Amino acid sequence: MSRKKDEKRLDEVISRTINSGKPEFDAEKWKQKYPEEFQMLQSMSAEKTRTRRPSIWRVVSQSPIIKLAAAAVIIVGIGLYAVLVHQGPGEHHVPVVKSPTKMMTAMSLTMAYRRGGIEAIDEQCEKAIRMLGPRPLRLTLGQLLSENND
Amino acid sequence: MTQKSDLTLVEAAINGNADSFTELCRRYYPAMVAIAHSVIGDRHLAEDAAQQTFAKAIRQMLQLKNKTKFVAWLATICRNVALDLAHSRDRLQSAEDLSMIAAESHENDVTESVKEALNKLSASAKELIFLRYYDGMTYEQISAVLGISEQAINGRLRRAKKKMANYLRHSGFGEV
């Protein structure tokens, strides 16, 4: 007997032994047998929304675009934080009231020059003069000395 | 039976659409009965196991992670249900009952030998033979149920049949 015929015969024998008619699913019978599960199936939608809360991490990890956007937000956030932390309180434009004498010291004038060049020195001098206010046209020696003796 | 329509049905079933779930049951009932039959060796119990599988699937539906592997997941549930049923049947059945069944089942020598040859196979090979010959499932359908490639199915099926043929030859059934 040829190999092909042997195989065919084996197929027939197995089929005859195993195959006892195609099983048909009876949905109605099944619903009657498992009413609790059927009820559970119908209420599945509500159950799903109750039990599964959307996880941010899951949403982020599923889409590459959202991943990139999240990474960009994190980098920008870290950058802003670093800038704010490294910016010392002196760099904020907090008005500091100095006396005209202090404003005219060499150190103060050098700092003004570094900040804005010769215009800044000029501005600082103007400011110091303004702070001193109007001066009397004439000043006696006694008045001048009394001011220095204070 | 396209993968897409299966996926649509699974998603609808998860959202509480009973008709979609019923359609899935109708579609995979024969495969589940075949799997259960290969484990239990009894048609009626196998049908019970398949029905119980669907009930259990509803209870575990929200745990299903990969919806495209619904059938393979269902088959795993079915195997476990069938094993449980087989164990409880074995516990309940006395030795007397077994001898009665043995006496009744001497209907045909060839059939008996084929059953013995089937029992010599591994559980997975036996399951494959049942899926292929129970309802004449295609390799594509079996592939969806078992979650393995069609080439792997072809190879496993060939080896299983060769083993069965050798057993039958040694049992005195000539060339099969």
Side-chain angles (χ1 to χ4, degrees):
Chain A
M1 211 180 279
S2 73
R3 199 178 158 184
K4 240 183 180 178
K5 274 188 179 175
D6 283 349
E7 275 190 22
K8 203 179 169 188
R9 197 181 155 204
L10 181 63
D11 282 345
E12 282 170 7
V13 170
I14 297 172
S15 198
R16 214 185 310 136
T17 308
I18 291 173
N19 198 349
S20 46
K22 187 184 176 182
E24 294 282 347
F25 181 70
D26 189 337
E28 291 308 314
K29 216 172 163 182
W30 182 82
K31 283 175 199 170
Q32 283 170 8
K33 201 172 173 183
Y34 298 96
E36 205 178 300
E37 279 78 6
F38 187 67
Q39 191 73 32
M40 198 185 274
L41 176 67
Q42 287 178 316
S43 58
M44 197 84 93
S45 187
E47 183 78 14
K48 196 185 163 195
T49 44
R50 249 202 323 272
T51 55
R52 279 197 177 179
R53 285 176 190 165
S55 154
I56 290 173
W57 181 247
R58 197 169 184 161
V59 169
V60 169
S61 63
Q62 273 174 358
S63 163
I65 296 164
I66 297 175
K67 265 186 202 170
L68 277 173
V73 167
I74 290 167
I75 289 166
V76 167
I78 290 169
L80 280 173
Y81 177 75
V83 165
L84 286 172
V85 162
H86 287 101
Q87 197 176 45
E91 286 174 48
H92 290 284
H93 295 285
V94 180
V96 179
V97 180
K98 288 179 179 175
S99 69
T101 321
K102 279 183 182 171
M103 282 168 88
M104 297 309 289
T105 58
M107 188 188 267
S108 187
L109 289 170
T110 310
M111 281 178 77
Y113 180 76
R114 280 185 189 165
R115 201 170 58 236
I118 197 74
E119 282 136 7
I121 292 176
D122 190 40
E123 196 184 321
Q124 193 155 316
C125 290
E126 288 275 325
K127 208 172 170 185
I129 290 162
R130 268 201 310 275
M131 280 170 85
L132 282 169
R135 283 180 295 173
L137 287 171
R138 283 184 186 173
L139 199 67
T140 62
L141 190 62
Q143 280 172 323
L144 186 66
L145 287 173
S146 72
E147 218 173 79
N148 282 342
N149 288 332
D150 281 343
Chain B
M1 196 199 301
T2 60
Q3 186 75 355
K4 196 185 169 189
S5 63
D6 268 5
L7 187 63
T8 313
L9 289 172
V10 171
E11 279 174 346
I14 287 172
N15 285 319
N17 187 326
D19 289 341
S20 298
F21 188 77
T22 309
E23 177 55 33
L24 283 167
C25 294
R26 233 175 241 126
R27 197 173 279 184
Y28 293 108
Y29 187 64
M32 294 307 122
V33 175
I35 289 172
H37 199 162
S38 78
V39 176
I40 305 172
D42 179 281
R43 167 71 184 253
H44 293 291
L45 266 181
E47 292 214 28
D48 281 350
Q51 288 167 18
Q52 211 173 306
T53 298
F54 297 133
K56 212 169 178 181
I58 289 175
R59 276 183 250 127
Q60 297 177 359
M61 191 80 102
L62 295 179
Q63 291 166 23
L64 175 64
K65 284 174 188 161
N66 190 348
K67 293 182 192 89
T68 55
K69 301 229 167 141
F70 172 77
V71 197
W73 174 76
L74 203 63
T76 307
I77 295 176
C78 186
R79 265 177 228 120
N80 292 333
V81 169
L83 278 169
D84 285 349
L85 278 179
H87 287 149
S88 39
R89 178 199 57 187
D90 292 348
R91 274 199 302 272
L92 289 169
Q93 227 163 30
S94 65
E96 199 181 336
D97 292 336
L98 284 171
S99 62
M100 277 175 71
I101 290 166
E104 281 168 9
S105 60
H106 276 291
E107 74 258 26
N108 186 326
D109 279 352
V110 181
T111 310
E112 274 308 302
S113 296
V114 172
K115 279 181 183 171
E116 279 170 26
L118 274 167
N119 287 332
K120 296 280 171 195
L121 298 174
S122 66
S124 59
K126 198 175 165 187
E127 187 179 287
L128 187 57
I129 292 279
F130 267 82
L131 283 168
R132 179 70 177 143
Y133 292 94
Y134 212 84
D135 188 29
M137 283 176 82
T138 63
Y139 282 16
E140 192 189 350
Q141 289 168 324
I142 298 172
S143 169
V145 173
L146 297 182
I148 54 173
S149 70
E150 290 179 36
Q151 286 84 358
I153 289 165
N154 189 31
R156 286 186 196 184
L157 209 52
R158 271 176 186 277
R159 284 194 290 277
K161 277 162 73 176
K162 199 176 172 185
K163 204 170 175 185
M164 284 181 76
N166 283 338
Y167 179 83
L168 291 171
R169 212 172 285 132
H170 284 115
S171 304
F173 282 93
E175 293 296 312
V176 281

